[in-house]
Amino acid sequence: MLDELQIIDLFFEKSEVPVDDCAYLPETSQIITGDSMVENTHFRLDWHPPELLARKLFQSNLSDVAAGGGDPQWCLLQMGLPGNAEEQFLKRFAAAFREECKENRCKLIGGDTFRNTTYIFSLTMAGRVRRPLQRRAHPGDAIYMTGTAGLSLAGMKHLTGEMKLTGSLQKRALERHLAPVARLDLARKLREMPDLHGMMDLSDGLLQDLERFARAAGQRFHLHLHSIPCDDELLPLMPALERAISGEEYELVFCAPAGLQQAPGFDITQIGRVITGPPGLTVFEDSSEGKIVIPESRGFEHF
Amino acid sequence: MLDELQIIDLFFEKSEVPVDDCAYLPETSQIITGDSMVENTHFRLDWHPPELLARKLFQSNLSDVAAGGGDPQWCLLQMGLPGNAEEQFLKRFAAAFREECKENRCKLIGGDTFRNTTYIFSLTMAGRVRRPLQRRAHPGDAIYMTGTAGLSLAGMKHLTGEMKLTGSLQKRALERHLAPVARLDLARKLREMPDLHGMMDLSDGLLQDLERFARAAGQRFHLHLHSIPCDDELLPLMPALERAISGEEYELVFCAPAGLQQAPGFDITQIGRVITGPPGLTVFEDSSEGKIVIPESRGFEHF
């Protein structure tokens, strides 16, 4: 069986394989993205009430649009529904989805429904863009991320019983995993920085996402594990390498000259640097780059 | 369980429920459509080799774009693939899909793959449009269709064993059902007619499609069963009412003042007329409108 990248290769000429989650269309100054959520692959009905499913579907696509430098414009929803789909489930899903569209000024323009054994939600979203933010980086850049990493994985592990969280940490972890919010506001600030070279969103974990970013940019990325910012309470409970494989965080990762400072409402941390070298990712224990770490797993793959 | 129209209603304000298969976006002069094909709902792997699946997926979306007055611009493909999906199947599907894109100058801009128990192909397609052709009609208009209706249903019945076709009729029916071709060329001619009031494509059979057209246009449509054009050889084998429920024909249906003439390369037939009255469809045996027909079934519904 082919993996996702091999399948993508089948559909494109070598020179045209897309390297970004969003496609940039200069003709109409748009970026377009499409992301699906499939029952038992991406979500479980017993964990995800329909409201949260609708929000997560919307926000995961919005996150791509935000990271691409866009403002949401319209979306199109294709849904596979089982024969026993309940009216209440659909009503609640639709109401939450409409609210997301309204809050984010994104017009639902159409869609399609079809019968399937399980629920499938495929969304296509378009965003208006003045300056597309693609996966570019210059040697010498610092690699930054917004917010923290780890809470989403912790939330999932709490749900599966692998971790036992309590109190406000449990609440934050479950919220992050079940009801993530795209960093559209921060993306809007970042895209105004003239020397921001490239950006993407953190959806599959830093190890996978930075590897793709580095290859798309044609540069070598060095990740410093101990620099990955983490929720204070989670920090002692989750090894740095696990923070690096936590996906569905929907934080932003970007490359810009070193020296950016955190500030109120500008919640960023340097987690590595870009050097000249064969495209790809090297993982170091910390910013001294004294010890290379070879991860056993790159994290969860949905396909 | 809700039907498709009831589900659509959940997602839209009453005044905003889409009445066209394509959404028209004046801001970017585009129309957008999305259509899915699902194993065992829309296709069977033993009937549809991967090349034909790719072509049908592409052409069914292209047909929507053509009927909406557009020229294909880009598409985005979301695929659910079973764990045992064969490399050869995907290679053949991808090669045929790329060819469709190339022939029709439609750029594949991205997509998504996910695991599912069966194959699912969801395509979103955008088209450039100068004048969107929506489902409008004026009282007094004639209702026309291009080509013929019936071959697609005949092809399906041959495959299920309900009909036994031979020779060139068998070939034409199977081609129509398995490898339909959107009438983009004719749509391009038709959209230049200033008094063409509205157009759609024939995807679910005349009974269902004209009912929707009539409601969207807010007019009463009269369909004349015996006027529905049919393949000469198929004519004696298929009752007029069956031609009216044959879907996936991908012909064009449009409303314009009476008096249009068939001509070489302009293959059209009047099949009814538009009158003032409560929106909806009335089916008559023939153009004398002497006898109303009440169909037992509106045809096949995919959902």
Side-chain angles (χ1 to χ4, degrees):
Chain A
M1 177 66 185
L2 303 171
D3 67 26
E4 184 159 15
L5 292 181
Q6 289 171 318
I7 293 170
I8 292 170
D9 278 345
L10 295 179
F11 284 87
F12 294 92
E13 302 284 343
K14 263 277 164 288
S15 62
E16 291 181 339
V17 173
V19 293
D20 287 282
D21 274 356
C22 282
Y24 171 51
L25 303 171
E27 199 179 343
T28 49
S29 300
Q30 281 177 313
I31 47 175
I32 314 281
T33 189
D35 235 338
S36 302
M37 281 176 58
V38 182
E39 188 182 342
N40 300 331
T41 302
H42 300 85
F43 66 87
R44 280 173 49 172
L45 288 177
D46 51 344
W47 294 352
H48 296 82
E51 289 83 3
L52 293 185
L53 273 186
R55 290 190 188 286
K56 193 165 178 178
L57 177 72
F58 189 93
Q59 292 288 332
S60 65
N61 280 272
L62 182 63
S63 179
D64 268 342
V65 167
D71 290 303
Q73 194 175 16
W74 56 256
C75 60
L76 184 141
L77 178 60
Q78 310 198 36
M79 296 191 292
L81 304 175
N84 62 354
E86 278 172 27
E87 188 172 334
Q88 267 314 309
F89 181 95
L90 290 172
K91 277 191 177 161
R92 290 167 60 190
F93 182 93
F97 193 87
R98 285 171 59 163
E99 215 172 289
E100 286 290 326
C101 288
K102 205 171 157 191
E103 273 170 24
N104 293 285
R105 300 184 179 202
C106 185
K107 192 175 156 68
L108 178 64
I109 59 165
D112 185 25
T113 60
F114 53 86
R115 192 58 61 92
N116 193 49
T117 48
T118 54
Y119 286 97
I120 293 186
F121 302 98
S122 288
L123 196 66
T124 303
M125 191 181 283
R128 234 172 264 106
V129 71
R130 270 180 308 169
R131 173 198 170 203
L133 290 172
Q134 292 170 304
R135 296 184 185 169
R136 300 214 177 99
H138 295 184
D141 274 353
I143 304 168
Y144 296 94
M145 69 171 284
T146 63
T148 64
L151 279 174
S152 180
L153 181 60
M156 198 181 78
K157 286 192 162 183
H158 179 79
L159 288 167
T160 58
E162 287 172 81
M163 274 179 102
K164 179 82 193 106
L165 306 175
T166 55
S168 66
L169 175 59
Q170 182 198 102
K171 187 166 172 288
R172 287 197 301 283
L174 288 177
E175 259 181 24
R176 174 62 70 105
H177 184 67
L178 297 175
V181 178
R183 305 285 303 233
L184 181 59
D185 284 354
L186 206 41
R188 282 176 173 150
K189 280 186 196 168
L190 288 166
R191 74 193 189 200
E192 298 304 322
M193 286 173 43
D195 52 3
L196 183 137
H197 295 134
M199 184 149 80
M200 72 180 293
D201 72 326
L202 184 48
S203 58
D204 293 331
L206 282 167
L207 293 189
Q208 285 186 55
D209 288 335
L210 284 179
E211 174 85 34
R212 288 187 203 122
F213 198 154
R215 287 180 189 276
Q219 309 288 350
R220 192 89 202 153
F221 280 27
H222 286 182
L223 170 65
H224 307 145
L225 279 186
H226 285 289
S227 301
I228 300 172
C230 187
D231 180 275
D232 286 342
E233 262 191 279
L234 181 61
L235 190 61
L237 305 175
M238 180 171 271
L241 199 51
E242 289 210 354
R243 308 201 291 268
I245 62 170
S246 180
E248 301 188 342
E249 298 280 359
Y250 301 117
E251 295 291 350
L252 301 165
V253 181
F254 61 96
C255 292
L260 287 182
Q261 300 298 321
Q262 256 201 354
F266 193 71
D267 171 24
I268 60 161
T269 308
Q270 182 175 345
I271 56 171
R273 63 191 188 105
V274 179
I275 64 158
T276 308
L281 178 68
T282 310
V283 183
F284 291 93
E285 208 168 70
D286 58 40
S287 60
S288 71
E289 299 192 354
K291 195 176 164 202
I292 288 184
V293 178
I294 310 289
E296 271 174 47
S297 149
R298 300 197 310 147
F300 190 67
E301 307 208 25
H302 278 132
F303 184 76
Chain B
M1 176 67 184
L2 302 171
D3 68 25
E4 185 159 17
L5 293 181
Q6 289 171 318
I7 294 170
I8 292 171
D9 278 344
L10 295 179
F11 284 88
F12 294 92
E13 301 285 343
K14 264 278 163 289
S15 63
E16 291 182 338
V17 173
V19 293
D20 287 283
D21 274 356
C22 282
Y24 170 52
L25 304 171
E27 200 177 343
T28 49
S29 300
Q30 283 177 311
I31 47 175
I32 314 282
T33 189
D35 235 337
S36 301
M37 281 176 58
V38 181
E39 187 182 343
N40 300 331
T41 301
H42 300 85
F43 66 87
R44 280 174 48 173
L45 288 177
D46 52 343
W47 294 351
H48 295 83
E51 289 83 2
L52 293 186
L53 273 186
R55 292 191 188 285
K56 193 164 177 178
L57 177 72
F58 188 93
Q59 292 288 333
S60 66
N61 279 273
L62 181 64
S63 179
D64 267 342
V65 167
D71 290 303
Q73 195 174 16
W74 56 256
C75 61
L76 184 142
L77 178 60
Q78 309 198 38
M79 295 190 293
L81 304 175
N84 62 354
E86 279 173 26
E87 186 171 337
Q88 267 314 307
F89 180 95
L90 290 172
K91 278 191 176 163
R92 289 167 60 191
F93 182 93
F97 194 86
R98 284 170 59 163
E99 216 172 287
E100 286 290 325
C101 288
K102 203 171 157 189
E103 272 171 25
N104 292 286
R105 300 185 181 202
C106 185
K107 192 174 156 70
L108 177 64
I109 61 165
D112 185 27
T113 60
F114 53 86
R115 190 59 60 88
N116 193 49
T117 47
T118 54
Y119 286 97
I120 293 186
F121 302 98
S122 288
L123 196 66
T124 302
M125 191 182 282
R128 233 173 265 106
V129 72
R130 272 180 306 168
R131 173 196 171 203
L133 290 173
Q134 293 169 305
R135 295 184 186 169
R136 301 215 176 99
H138 295 185
D141 275 354
I143 305 167
Y144 297 94
M145 69 171 283
T146 63
T148 64
L151 279 174
S152 181
L153 181 60
M156 199 181 77
K157 287 191 160 184
H158 179 79
L159 288 168
T160 59
E162 286 171 79
M163 273 181 104
K164 179 82 194 107
L165 305 176
T166 55
S168 66
L169 175 59
Q170 181 199 102
K171 186 166 173 289
R172 288 195 301 281
L174 288 176
E175 259 180 25
R176 174 62 71 106
H177 185 67
L178 297 174
V181 178
R183 306 286 303 235
L184 181 59
D185 284 353
L186 206 41
R188 282 176 174 150
K189 279 186 197 169
L190 287 166
R191 73 192 188 200
E192 298 303 323
M193 284 173 43
D195 53 3
L196 184 138
H197 296 135
M199 184 149 80
M200 73 180 291
D201 72 326
L202 183 47
S203 58
D204 294 329
L206 283 167
L207 293 190
Q208 285 185 56
D209 288 335
L210 284 180
E211 174 84 33
R212 287 188 201 120
F213 197 154
R215 287 181 188 277
Q219 309 288 349
R220 192 88 202 154
F221 280 27
H222 286 183
L223 170 65
H224 307 145
L225 280 186
H226 286 289
S227 301
I228 300 173
C230 186
D231 180 277
D232 286 343
E233 263 190 278
L234 180 61
L235 191 60
L237 306 175
M238 179 171 271
L241 199 52
E242 289 208 355
R243 307 200 294 266
I245 61 171
S246 180
E248 301 189 340
E249 297 280 359
Y250 301 116
E251 296 292 349
L252 301 164
V253 182
F254 61 97
C255 292
L260 287 182
Q261 299 298 321
Q262 258 202 353
F266 193 71
D267 170 22
I268 60 162
T269 308
Q270 181 174 346
I271 56 171
R273 64 190 188 106
V274 178
I275 64 158
T276 308
L281 178 68
T282 309
V283 183
F284 291 93
E285 209 167 71
D286 57 42
S287 59
S288 71
E289 299 192 354
K291 194 175 165 203
I292 288 182
V293 177
I294 311 289
E296 272 175 47
S297 149
R298 300 197 310 147
F300 190 67
E301 306 209 25
H302 278 133
F303 184 77

